[in-house]
């Protein structure tokens, strides 16, 4: 264990007990003690008023020549030849990191006949593109893409890799990180450079959004993270820009891919792509009955938004789970989020609290949703929503 | 089929509250539970066993109290349970955790399928499953909502942002499952009695073939720099008005004027 309590200095104030997110601090004979549950997060270190708790850093078992690793890479996720928004957002943020580190920004494009995408990648700020094309790589596969990505890392040695925290990104990221033996921070909502060390500071929510943790990867390279969509702004594209394309031959063989995609079933096209939506209108149990959900759909429609739902509504079978917002559903960050008849349980809020503007409509004035809302209307959704739809329709007609 | 289910004992994060004065987590009275996603993984394993025969072994890494989580899994229907526990595993990030669990699974011998919950509700990383698959050089499919097995062939549905994929693979494979896959069953009285009598072995670092450099804090590339409570959103404006119509008009006016919509 690397967090240590100096028993002589401990004054038994128990400040560390409540600071520990894992309940690993206990008082024994008026002194703080650390149990097995300790994860060495160090939350207690900062709270101790007499500096009696210290975190010892253990030497990493592996020594890596960090100077060999340069440049910031962004995984360019594409589906049917379309670059996902999150990849552009990460190019924008990656540009900032690369500039701060005095390094170059590269996009990694893997697929089949996807060279044309490099124009877009340069327009979003990349200096270089690593391009790997093969017919086996047309669709995402864990094995195929991991082999290609890990191969690129071993050859070209980047210092930082950003991957969108999408379903595929969160499938690929850990597999690649593990193969090259480095650290990966999941589902980040903020990136920066740690002033003391010059390392990338990866910040992410944990504990159902109750706490935030900033993670570093000091001794291993590359430093890797998956980053949530919609956290960063999509950069202004400049199509006059170009850059170097580095073509790399694929070493993937068909039989090396142990999964086969038989079919991609689109249950909902854009209508439930909540992760990339600008406006979301969500309904909860307070909608009263499934029929009332048409009000949610109508408001979403008039605003050009998409429909979300609370867990209660999904559990009741009113809406398929693709629409569920919250800790066990989707994490969203639209410009505007309408919460209609949603009480605002912490798990729901964890999935939408990074929205720019939150609007709550609920007849219960004490509903916790109002605590996080920028605008609230206390009233019956069945009355407020039709009126709201009418207002927006009027405005649109002008 | 030899199926391994990996579970984690987690604090029920839905019960965690923030002390608004000290801005710290209030953990008092927060129960430890089996990670909810893992219960769906166990249910999926039990259903496969009922159909194809075999054995379901539950594995967890954690402190000694994590045995309670294993007992619950046995009460629900798991055949065997193993606690992987050692001070040397402390401070492990996902890479070290997945390595340790992979070592335990190697010790188990032949395994056809490993099923994990998509993610744990305390860390929310969704990384230990795929990293375990990599350590074991196994195929993986994440976010699975349906599993069908026929002989060596495995056909699954994998959730995607806009729908789902139908993916075919073969055993051995590691799957991570989402909640819509099934409705987990509850422990039975008979099961609870069985669980109470069940010997649950504890495997330490000495019991497995491990590289000590890849365990615990030493084997963890990532380090927590700081933990803090997120800035809370500030309550905005409640639009007060006598009728719903008026309130809606005021709200629409504000949003349109500010060009929010």
């Amino acid at each position: 264990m690397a967090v240590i309590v100096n028993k002589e200095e401990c004054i038994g104030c128990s400040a560390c007990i409540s600071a520990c997110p894992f309940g690993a601090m206990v008082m024994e004979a008026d002194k703080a003690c650390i149990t097995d549950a300790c994860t060495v997060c160090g939350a207690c270190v900062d709270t101790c008023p007499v500096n009696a708790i210290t975190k010892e850093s253990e030497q990493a078992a592996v020594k890596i020549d960090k100077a060999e690793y340069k440049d910031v890479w962004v995984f360019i996720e594409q589906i049917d030849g379309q670059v996902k928004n999150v990849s552009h957002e990460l190019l924008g943020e990656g540009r900032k990191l690369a500039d701060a580190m005095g390094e170059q920004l590269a996009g990694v494009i893997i697929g089949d006949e996807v060279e044309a995408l490099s124009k877009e990648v340069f327009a979003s700020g990349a200096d270089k593109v690593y391009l790997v094309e093969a017919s086996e790589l047309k669709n995402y596969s864990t094995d195929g893409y991991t082999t290609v990505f890990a191969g690129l890392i071993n050859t070209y040695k980047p210092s930082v890799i950003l991957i969108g925290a999408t379903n595929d990104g969160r499938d690929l990221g850990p597999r690649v990180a593990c193969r090259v033996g480095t650290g990966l921070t999941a589902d980040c909502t903020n990136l920066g450079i740690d002033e003391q060390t010059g390392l990338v500071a990866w910040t992410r929510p944990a504990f159902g959004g109750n706490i935030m943790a900033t993670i570093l990867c000091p001794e291993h390279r590359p430093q890797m993270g998956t980053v949530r969509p919609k956290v960063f702004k999509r950069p202004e594209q400049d199509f006059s820009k170009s850059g170097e394309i580095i073509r790399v031959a694929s070493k993937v063989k068909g039989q090396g891919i142990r999964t086969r995609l038989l079919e991609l079933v689109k249950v909902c096209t854009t209508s439930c792509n909540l992760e990339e939506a600008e406006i979301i209108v969500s309904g909860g149990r307070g909608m009263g009955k499934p029929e009332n959900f048409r009000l949610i759909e109508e408001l979403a429609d008039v605003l050009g938004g998409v429909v979300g739902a609370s867990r209660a509504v999904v559990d009741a079978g009113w809406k398929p789970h693709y629409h569920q917002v919250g800790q066990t559903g989707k994490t969203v960050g639209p410009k505007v989020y309408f919460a209609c008849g949603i009480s605002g349980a912490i798990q729901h809020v964890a999935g939408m609290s990074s929205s720019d503007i939150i609007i709550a409509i609920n007849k219960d004035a004490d509903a916790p949703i109002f605590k996080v809302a920028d605008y609230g209307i206390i009233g019956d959704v069945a009355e407020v929503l039709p009126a709201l739809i009418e207002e927006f329709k009027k405005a649109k007609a002008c | 089929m030899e199926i391994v289910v990996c579970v984690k004992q987690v604090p029920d994060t839905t019960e965690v509250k923030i002390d608004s004065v000290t801005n710290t987590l209030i953990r008092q009275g927060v129960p430890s539970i089996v990670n909810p996603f893992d219960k769906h993984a166990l249910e999926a394993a039990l259903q496969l066993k009922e159909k194809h025969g075999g054995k379901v072994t539950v594995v967890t890494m954690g402190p000694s109290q994590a045995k309670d989580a294993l007992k619950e899994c046995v009460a629900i229907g798991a055949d065997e349970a193993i606690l992987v526990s050692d001070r040397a595993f402390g401070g492990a990030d996902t890479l070290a955790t997945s390595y340790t669990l992979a070592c335990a699974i190697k010790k188990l011998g032949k395994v056809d399928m490993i099923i994990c919950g998509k993610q744990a509700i305390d860390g929310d990383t969704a990384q230990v499953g795929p990293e375990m698959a990599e350590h074991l050089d196994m195929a993986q499919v994440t976010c699975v909502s349906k599993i069908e097995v026929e002989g060596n062939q495995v056909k699954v549905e994998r959730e995607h942002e806009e729908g789902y994929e139908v993916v075919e693979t073969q055993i051995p494979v590691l799957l991570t499952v989402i909640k819509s896959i099934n409705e987990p069953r509850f422990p039975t009285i008979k099961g609870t009695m069985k669980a109470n009598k069940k010997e649950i072995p504890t495997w330490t670092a000495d019991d497995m073939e491990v590289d000590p450099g890849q365990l615990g804090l030493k084997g963890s590339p990532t380090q927590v720099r700081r933990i803090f409570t997120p800035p809370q959103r500030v309550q905005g404006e409640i639009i007060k008005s006598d009728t719903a119509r008026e309130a809606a008009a005021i709200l629409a006016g504000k949003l349109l004027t500010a060009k929010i919509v």
Side-chain angles (χ1 to χ4, degrees):
Chain A
M1 271 311 129
V3 173
I4 292 162
V5 181
N6 183 336
K7 295 269 155 80
E8 314 225 309
E9 283 173 34
C10 176
I11 53 170
C13 72
S14 73
C16 51
I17 309 257
S18 51
C20 178
F22 303 95
M25 282 295 214
V26 291
M27 294 301 285
E28 270 172 29
D30 285 337
K31 301 282 177 191
C33 282
I34 298 170
T35 69
D36 291 1
C38 177
T39 66
V40 203
C41 75
C44 53
V45 177
D46 301 333
T47 48
C48 179
V50 293
N51 298 324
I53 309 176
T54 47
K55 186 167 152 183
E56 285 187 339
S57 55
E58 253 177 83
Q59 277 300 316
V62 194
K63 271 275 164 233
I64 285 164
D65 183 4
K66 286 176 276 187
E68 272 188 52
Y69 290 79
K70 273 203 174 52
D71 291 355
V72 176
W73 285 10
V74 173
F75 171 57
I76 306 301
E77 186 173 339
Q78 54 91 18
I79 188 159
D80 295 336
Q82 287 278 325
V83 175
K84 285 211 171 178
N85 267 331
V86 65
S87 303
H88 287 294
E89 293 158 15
L90 294 188
L91 283 167
E93 195 59 18
R95 184 73 262 170
K96 289 183 203 156
L97 288 178
D99 290 344
M101 293 159 60
E103 294 178 5
Q104 289 200 304
L105 176 69
V108 174
I109 309 178
I110 304 171
D112 187 27
E113 295 178 27
V114 284
E115 185 178 350
L117 301 180
S118 46
K119 280 200 192 76
E120 276 192 59
V121 174
F122 292 134
S124 287
D127 304 301
K128 287 189 273 194
V129 158
Y130 291 94
L131 179 67
V132 186
E133 292 178 304
S135 56
E136 298 82 42
L137 300 172
K138 184 173 191 318
N139 295 309
Y140 172 77
S141 68
T142 312
D143 287 330
Y145 278 46
T146 302
T147 301
V148 169
F149 214 123
L152 290 174
I153 292 169
N154 289 333
T155 313
Y156 297 98
K157 300 191 179 351
S159 66
V160 176
I161 297 177
L162 308 179
I163 297 174
T166 58
N167 280 15
D168 284 351
R170 293 182 77 177
D171 186 271
L172 175 69
R175 196 86 200 206
V176 171
C178 189
R179 188 161 303 178
V180 301
T182 192
L184 173 68
T185 307
D187 220 12
C188 299
T189 54
N190 195 19
L191 303 179
I193 302 278
D194 181 60
E195 280 181 20
Q196 267 178 31
T197 55
L199 296 163
V200 177
W202 311 87
T203 298
R204 65 182 304 268
F207 252 78
N210 283 299
I211 57 171
M212 305 294 289
T214 300
I215 314 274
L216 305 178
C217 179
E219 302 296 332
H220 295 68
R221 290 295 177 273
Q223 308 170 69
M224 290 180 64
T226 59
V227 182
R228 276 192 195 166
K230 302 300 281 180
V231 168
F232 297 111
K233 293 245 168 317
R234 194 185 155 114
E236 289 287 323
Q237 286 190 300
D238 176 357
F239 280 93
S240 67
K241 281 191 180 158
S242 66
E244 184 190 358
I245 297 180
I246 300 146
R247 283 185 167 281
V248 181
S250 163
K251 292 193 187 88
V252 176
K253 297 198 178 65
Q255 67 268 30
I257 300 174
R258 291 169 288 189
T259 54
R260 204 156 66 89
L261 177 65
L262 298 180
E263 197 185 352
L264 175 61
V265 182
K266 287 202 176 181
V267 173
C268 35
T269 48
T270 50
S271 71
C272 67
N273 193 343
L274 279 80
E275 288 91 342
E276 305 219 329
E278 300 272 308
I279 295 178
I280 295 175
V281 185
S282 274
R285 190 75 104 168
M287 293 306 296
K289 48 187 174 183
E291 295 84 84
N292 286 350
F293 240 80
R294 67 168 173 81
L295 293 172
I296 299 285
E297 276 145 25
E298 211 176 317
L299 180 58
D301 197 41
V302 73
L303 293 172
V306 304
V307 172
S310 73
R311 180 177 161 185
V313 160
V314 171
D315 284 353
W318 297 3
K319 273 276 153 193
H321 71 274
Y322 300 102
H323 292 275
Q324 189 184 327
V325 173
Q327 197 196 2
T328 55
K330 295 179 172 183
T331 304
V332 300
K335 282 202 183 118
V336 191
Y337 188 91
F338 287 84
C340 312
I342 290 176
S343 65
I346 176 79
Q347 302 94 292
H348 187 79
V349 172
M352 49 67 105
S353 61
S354 59
S355 308
D356 291 352
I357 301 277
I358 295 172
I359 295 155
I361 305 164
N362 203 305
K363 62 180 169 203
D364 175 11
D366 295 326
I369 192 74
F370 288 117
K371 290 213 172 75
V372 298
D374 297 278
Y375 298 103
I377 294 180
I378 298 162
D380 188 348
V381 281
E383 288 174 26
V384 178
L385 284 178
L388 209 48
I389 292 163
E390 202 177 303
E391 289 293 333
F392 286 124
K393 272 191 182 154
K394 255 196 285 179
K396 228 176 148 183
C398 298
Chain B
M1 277 179 87
E2 295 292 325
I3 307 172
V4 172
V5 177
C6 295
V7 303
K8 184 178 186 186
Q9 188 183 46
V10 295
D12 188 347
T13 52
T14 61
E15 300 285 325
V16 176
K17 292 197 172 57
I18 301 282
D19 182 327
S20 55
V21 181
T22 59
N23 224 18
T24 52
L25 289 177
I26 306 169
R27 277 196 50 114
Q28 240 162 6
V30 177
S32 285
I33 55 169
V34 175
N35 176 43
F37 285 95
D38 303 347
K39 285 199 169 165
H40 294 267
L42 177 60
E43 178 62 36
L46 294 174
Q47 288 182 12
L48 287 171
K49 180 195 150 180
E50 280 159 4
K51 213 165 164 190
H52 304 281
K55 194 172 82 202
V56 175
T57 305
V58 186
V59 179
T60 194
M61 180 181 118
S64 53
Q65 58 264 37
K67 230 174 218 182
D68 295 341
L70 293 175
K71 288 220 172 207
E72 189 178 337
C73 293
V74 172
I76 291 169
D79 299 295
E80 301 293 335
I82 288 149
L83 173 67
V84 182
S85 187
D86 196 312
R87 295 287 279 197
F89 305 151
D93 71 357
T94 62
L95 190 69
T97 302
S98 60
Y99 173 74
T100 311
L101 284 168
C103 291
I105 290 167
K106 273 184 196 159
K107 185 181 158 103
L108 282 172
K110 180 181 169 285
V111 170
D112 297 310
M113 192 179 279
I114 301 171
I115 310 180
C116 308
K118 176 194 165 198
Q119 65 195 59
I121 59 163
D122 54 350
D124 285 323
T125 72
Q127 288 179 183
V128 171
E131 291 184 333
M132 242 178 357
E134 176 62 23
H135 284 300
L136 294 164
D137 189 21
M138 248 188 211
Q140 81 185 37
V141 188
T142 51
C143 298
V144 169
S145 55
K146 191 178 177 188
I147 309 171
E148 279 171 27
V149 176
E150 230 185 275
N152 278 341
Q153 289 299 114
V154 181
K155 197 160 124 187
V156 301
E157 287 179 10
R158 170 177 185 245
E159 193 185 49
H160 213 265
E161 273 81 5
E162 295 177 0
Y164 63 91
E165 298 173 350
V166 183
V167 176
E168 197 176 55
T169 186
Q170 285 179 333
I171 56 175
V173 63
L174 181 143
L175 307 174
T176 77
V177 301
I178 58 173
K179 287 186 167 181
S180 60
I181 190 169
N182 55 37
E183 207 47 64
R185 66 192 74 179
F186 291 98
T188 58
I189 294 173
K190 213 174 132 197
T192 307
M193 283 162 61
K194 183 181 112 188
N196 284 336
K197 277 186 267 168
K198 184 87 191 165
E199 274 292 318
I200 296 180
T202 301
W203 290 355
T204 65
D206 290 339
D207 297 316
M208 306 184 293
E209 232 175 87
V210 293
D211 165 12
Q214 295 192 55
L215 300 175
L217 196 63
K218 234 184 223 166
S220 299
T222 60
Q223 286 178 12
V224 180
R225 175 101 173 97
R226 138 183 129 92
I227 285 198
F228 57 101
T229 43
Q232 304 292 314
R233 282 188 85 103
V234 189
Q235 178 162 354
E237 182 189 347
I238 300 284
I239 295 163
K240 291 209 166 67
S241 162
D242 293 339
T243 67
R245 178 161 293 279
E246 234 176 75
I250 296 170
L251 174 63
K254 281 178 188 289
L255 296 178
L256 292 164
T257 319
K259 293 201 161 52
I260 294 167
V261 294

